[in-house]
Amino acid sequence: MRFARLLAAPLIALAAVIVVLVPSSPASAHGSIVNPASRNYGCWERWGSRFQDPAMATEDPMCWQAWQANPNAMWNWNGLYRENLAGNHQANIPDGQLCSGGRAEGGRYNSMDTVGNWRATNVGTSLSLRLNDQASHGADYIRVYVTRAGYDPTTQPLRWSDLTLVTQIGNTPASQWQPAAQGVQIDLPVNVPGRTGRAMFYTIWQASHMDQSYYFCSDVNFGGTPTNPPTNPPTNPPTNPPTNPPTNPPTNPPTGTRACTATYTLVGSWTGGFQADIRVTAGSTAIAGWTVTLTYPSGQQVAQVWNGTATTNGSTATIRNATYNGSVAAAQSTTFGLLGSGTHSTPTLTCTAT
């Protein structure tokens, strides 16, 4: 792979990740390139509020195929990462799978690798890429590549040999980033003189809180009229609504004994904090709402929640469904996630349904 001269590599001492206790405020746990938008963030930004609109099929066909393949790739626009790769990106991510991070998260993001005419952001040859870091992880490093002249993302899969490094920064704690509506953000200046036409930026963000590597494909069109940067990502985007939410959720679910179960999965942990996902599954009868109570054994506390609303009392947290994921069909599931403070230990869970 051809590497351009590095434009910058500042080395700044690592700062610890601080989880702020805000029990009633939903949040998301990771981040993405939001301008020019990564494929998964762009599809969520354009269609998240109307993901069942059939107009997407003709107006934005690459996003349409992605929503059909796995809606959670967009609801979880900020979770495209791999863990414990020790910086061996090329060894672990094959050619043709760069945009999905090597089929990250069990293949959730595979549709990001689909070759086609993805919606491109018009940019000039001197621009800034904005990375939004919702959990204030900071970076061990961030590397930005651009595809070579002559590469056509509409007809060719992305390979490592198609990329040229155009800028990078070194160890940069979140305290050095700009404040955002949620978490922090950083703008990475990029200059690619003489470029015209379609191309792609490929960004690798190595987060500082653990060995966690994020991968972003951003489609661009050099020479078009630049578009305005998006506003800060919303403070409480749903990260994992039901895979196939009903168009018209039933107002009166079938009568019967309404019950649910909750399954807890640790996603990751670090000094002083952790992240977990909880899957809520309806029993043999559809439910209209659910409540999950978690009690941690050793003083841990729930700090932030998404896909639900939380109230806390010491080490006990009660999470109720959000407005969009309370109705769950019989034997089907929905999920919510949380950030916690303290050294992780699995809580006891109860689930009640209405």
Side-chain angles (χ1 to χ4, degrees):
M1 181 172 56
R2 302 185 301 276
F3 287 78
R5 181 175 61 86
L6 305 184
L7 302 182
L11 298 177
I12 306 173
L14 179 65
V17 173
I18 300 173
V19 177
V20 180
L21 184 63
V22 282
S24 61
S25 177
S28 295
H30 306 298
S32 185
I33 295 291
V34 298
N35 189 55
S38 66
R39 288 179 171 179
N40 38 310
Y41 177 76
C43 286
W44 178 85
E45 182 187 33
R46 293 191 294 274
W47 297 100
S49 62
R50 51 192 184 108
F51 61 95
Q52 292 179 314
D53 188 340
M56 190 194 322
T58 54
E59 294 178 14
D60 203 345
M62 297 312 295
C63 280
W64 172 259
Q65 65 84 29
W67 280 100
Q68 302 310 300
N70 193 332
N72 288 328
M74 278 62 67
W75 295 122
N76 288 278
W77 57 264
N78 54 9
L80 203 170
Y81 64 87
R82 298 278 300 276
E83 293 184 340
N84 303 316
L85 299 188
N88 297 320
H89 308 294
Q90 294 189 47
N92 287 280
I93 300 178
D95 285 344
Q97 298 180 19
L98 276 68
C99 294
S100 69
R103 299 178 178 174
E105 295 296 295
R108 175 190 293 164
Y109 300 95
N110 287 4
S111 61
M112 302 298 107
D113 292 318
T114 304
V115 176
N117 189 18
W118 288 85
R119 183 80 64 87
T121 302
N122 291 332
V123 297
T125 56
S126 179
L127 67 151
S128 291
L129 275 73
R130 174 165 292 180
L131 196 161
N132 180 258
D133 175 5
Q134 293 186 305
S136 299
H137 291 323
D140 284 347
Y141 55 82
I142 302 172
R143 297 172 183 166
V144 180
Y145 302 83
V146 71
T147 50
R148 58 179 172 79
Y151 170 79
D152 183 357
T154 69
T155 61
Q156 297 173 279
L158 184 62
R159 305 169 301 173
W160 288 103
S161 59
D162 295 320
L163 298 174
T164 298
L165 184 68
V166 288
T167 193
Q168 74 171 6
I169 62 172
N171 194 304
T172 310
S175 60
Q176 301 293 321
W177 294 32
Q178 308 161 30
Q182 182 177 332
V184 293
Q185 63 190 22
I186 191 168
D187 291 329
L188 305 163
V190 174
N191 291 284
V192 281
R195 292 299 299 270
T196 60
R198 289 294 298 270
M200 188 188 301
F201 284 111
Y202 189 64
T203 305
I204 300 175
W205 168 33
Q206 184 71 31
S208 289
H209 69 299
M210 59 190 301
D211 186 357
Q212 198 171 76
S213 308
Y214 294 76
Y215 304 95
F216 312 122
C217 282
S218 300
D219 294 274
V220 297
N221 179 42
F222 289 114
T225 302
T227 54
N228 293 325
T231 57
N232 287 322
T235 57
N236 58 341
T239 59
N240 201 11
T243 303
N244 294 299
T247 304
N248 296 300
T251 55
N252 295 301
T255 58
T257 302
R258 295 170 187 159
C260 60
T261 57
T263 305
Y264 183 95
T265 302
L266 177 67
V267 175
S269 62
W270 53 91
T271 302
F274 55 90
Q275 179 188 346
D277 286 340
I278 296 86
R279 179 171 296 276
V280 177
T281 304
S284 58
T285 301
I287 62 176
W290 48 264
T291 301
V292 174
T293 300
L294 304 90
T295 302
Y296 286 92
S298 304
Q300 300 89 350
Q301 293 185 336
V302 171
Q304 300 178 341
V305 169
W306 54 98
N307 276 4
T309 58
T311 57
T312 61
N313 182 11
S315 293
T316 298
T318 301
I319 294 88
R320 294 176 175 82
N321 60 271
T323 56
Y324 52 81
N325 64 356
S327 296
V328 183
Q332 298 302 302
S333 300
T334 187
T335 63
F336 68 90
L338 62 83
L339 295 179
S341 60
T343 301
H344 179 262
S345 184
T346 303
T348 58
L349 290 85
T350 61
C351 186
T352 57
T354 57

